[in-house]
Amino acid sequence: MPDNLFANLPPLASKEEVFTTLLTEPGLTVQRIVSTGQSSPPGFWYDQPEAEWVVLISGEALLRFEDESEARRLHPGSYIDIAAGRRHRVDWTAPDTPTVWLAIHRPNV
């Protein structure tokens, strides 16, 4: 497990996003997600049983919700609280710089 959010980042040519669990406790998981140009597959929507709070630490991304007509452009410092069961997808992440996310998964309240 890295002790710095920017430690051991995958190379930009990585084919897959890299998920690293930083902390886990009953009812709570904190993950670092590193995207290097990946997006959700066509037609795929995340539909998670838990709520997720995410903040973009570096890079850029387009996050789309099924119930919204436009994707949201996220920049470093952008954050959003995603309710359990709210379908969403990643339309795009910057291919020329690592996009580092911090995701906190918790029970829906």
Side-chain angles (χ1 to χ4, degrees):
M1 174 179 352
D3 59 0
N4 182 296
L5 290 176
F6 300 107
N8 304 316
L9 294 178
L12 288 177
S14 293
K15 294 193 185 296
E16 302 290 328
E17 286 183 302
V18 176
F19 294 78
T20 305
T21 299
L22 304 175
L23 173 71
T24 186
E25 295 180 357
L28 178 76
T29 300
V30 178
Q31 288 184 315
R32 179 187 77 170
I33 305 166
V34 181
S35 307
T36 51
Q38 292 85 9
S39 61
S40 300
F44 174 83
W45 295 92
Y46 289 99
D47 189 353
Q48 301 165 173
E50 69 277 340
E52 179 182 12
W53 184 87
V54 294
V55 61
L56 200 71
I57 304 297
S58 68
E60 283 188 84
L62 291 175
L63 183 66
R64 179 179 300 276
F65 290 91
E66 187 177 45
D67 60 351
E68 295 180 3
S69 61
E70 298 287 323
R72 298 183 189 196
R73 181 170 292 275
L74 304 179
H75 301 279
S78 298
Y79 64 89
I80 188 161
D81 192 25
I82 304 170
R86 187 168 186 205
R87 290 169 52 102
H88 61 285
R89 56 179 281 114
V90 177
D91 276 357
W92 173 86
T93 60
D96 57 346
T97 187
T99 298
V100 180
W101 315 71
L102 187 65
I104 300 172
H105 301 267
R106 66 189 196 293
N108 199 36
V109 291

